[in-house]
Amino acid sequence: MTSFLSLPVVSPRSIPTAFSLKRPFIQTPPTLHFKNHRFAVSCSYAEAGVSGDSKLSTIDVVADVKSERIVVLGGNGFVGSAICKAAVSKGIEVISLNRSGRPTYSGSWVDQVTWIPGDVFYVNWDEVLLGATAVVSTLGGFGSEEQMIKINGEANVVAVNAAKEYGIPKFILISVHDYNLPSFLLSSGYFTGKRKAESEVLSKYPNSGIVLKPAFIYGKRRVDGFEIPLDLVGEPAEKFLKAIENFTKPLSSLPASDLLLAPPVSVDDVALAVINGVTDDDFFGVFTIDQIKEAAEKIRL
């Protein structure tokens, strides 16, 4: 976030060089102005001996102050950790809320994240959301119908409402591609929960809510201390499907065709798309696979 400092100008006649002053000048006390997380400092200078009704000249100095502070729900998971790492690399302050707290593996970026162990259903949001500029939710998972509705839907609904109540400007949800599935398959607890969460984000944050809908996400995933190289499958598949997309487009209308034809998405692309959402106020709404990759490229450049 960029903040603007409004500082006075000392006219060339007042200070002819950086090392000599022909005449003294007088500074009035600075005034601070705050508005929507931006601030300005206004000061006035006048030459000694100059009449009080003389106009004072001013200068605007723009300073880039990194003041984004995001809360990542599920920050030590596969997608969540990639988001935390990308945010840290961009100078964004990161807080992660997840059940197990700090991950067991090491990394320079890990030390720069504030890890809070907790459950969205019972957490003290005062400790988590204070000063945040965006909440990013990676909450989701599989299980029984009841469990999937709870973790994919209800948990995210609780988080969205907490963020809204605390006045957090943005909410970003990592959801899932529909895969062009027939409606009876989309009625499962997994997709029902996801759709419920999406609806809550777009309802409570119509002009700043973000829903990313990637397909299969690949990268190096850590499970119980082991690293699973999903990129060995996902990356070639993404390149192959990209190369033949002109031939497969006519098939996209077939039910469930995207189970085979939807290109995988790199976990790094998902993370960078989130960063784009955090830093770009014009980035909101629902984003498809291709749009996620486009958003990531903006940050990568």
Side-chain angles (χ1 to χ4, degrees):
M1 186 178 295
T2 300
S3 298
F4 297 89
L5 304 179
S6 178
L7 298 178
V9 167
V10 179
S11 67
R13 291 180 301 171
S14 300
I15 304 179
T17 69
F19 302 100
S20 65
L21 299 176
K22 290 184 178 180
R23 285 182 287 185
F25 57 90
I26 301 171
Q27 176 185 0
T28 60
T31 304
L32 299 179
H33 308 280
F34 295 88
K35 183 179 181 181
N36 297 331
H37 302 290
R38 299 178 182 272
F39 67 91
V41 180
S42 300
C43 303
S44 299
Y45 292 86
E47 297 177 6
V50 178
S51 60
D53 58 353
S54 297
K55 292 185 177 180
L56 302 177
S57 55
T58 60
I59 188 173
D60 289 330
V61 177
V62 178
D64 186 11
V65 179
K66 295 180 177 68
S67 56
E68 286 91 357
R69 186 182 194 219
I70 68 171
V71 174
V72 181
L73 307 180
N76 68 351
F78 175 46
V79 177
S81 60
I83 293 171
C84 291
K85 184 177 180 179
V88 166
S89 72
K90 297 299 180 180
I92 297 173
E93 184 181 355
V94 182
I95 294 172
S96 171
L97 173 69
N98 42 269
R99 291 185 177 182
S100 57
R102 183 187 177 93
T104 55
Y105 55 85
S106 60
S108 59
W109 67 269
V110 175
D111 296 331
Q112 299 180 60
V113 175
T114 300
W115 302 96
I116 300 178
D119 188 310
V120 294
F121 290 105
Y122 309 106
V123 69
N124 180 357
W125 290 107
D126 286 332
E127 300 176 358
V128 178
L129 296 179
L130 184 63
T133 55
V135 173
V136 183
S137 177
T138 68
L139 300 178
F142 294 93
S144 67
E145 289 290 296
E146 183 180 353
Q147 289 172 329
M148 290 189 292
I149 290 176
K150 183 176 181 179
I151 190 171
N152 294 306
E154 294 172 8
N156 282 304
V157 169
V158 168
V160 171
N161 282 279
K164 186 66 177 180
E165 181 181 349
Y166 278 78
I168 310 304
K170 296 181 181 180
F171 196 102
I172 303 174
L173 173 70
I174 310 301
S175 189
V176 65
H177 183 63
D178 289 333
Y179 291 102
N180 200 23
L181 294 174
S183 57
F184 72 91
L185 290 178
L186 291 175
S187 63
S188 69
Y190 181 82
F191 286 101
T192 297
K194 290 289 188 180
R195 297 297 88 82
K196 185 175 183 179
E198 292 176 9
S199 177
E200 195 71 11
V201 172
L202 299 175
S203 172
K204 294 296 170 53
Y205 288 88
N207 299 313
S208 61
I210 298 170
V211 175
L212 303 183
K213 302 182 70 170
F216 171 71
I217 302 176
Y218 67 85
K220 290 179 171 55
R221 183 166 193 161
R222 297 175 184 270
V223 179
D224 295 330
F226 295 94
E227 192 173 79
I228 303 176
L230 298 176
D231 50 331
L232 293 182
V233 175
E235 188 172 1
E238 179 185 12
K239 292 180 178 179
F240 175 72
L241 290 171
K242 179 66 177 178
I244 65 170
E245 64 179 351
N246 289 334
F247 302 99
T248 59
K249 279 182 179 178
L251 303 176
S252 61
S253 60
L254 297 177
S257 59
D258 276 357
L259 288 173
L260 295 175
L261 300 179
V265 182
S266 164
V267 69
D268 293 330
D269 280 348
V270 175
L272 291 177
V274 168
I275 302 306
N276 188 51
V278 170
T279 58
D280 185 356
D281 290 339
D282 294 325
F283 186 85
F284 62 90
V286 179
F287 292 85
T288 63
I289 297 171
D290 288 339
Q291 291 170 329
I292 290 171
K293 296 177 181 180
E294 290 172 4
E297 197 61 29
K298 291 180 182 178
I299 300 298
R300 187 175 286 112
L301 294 176

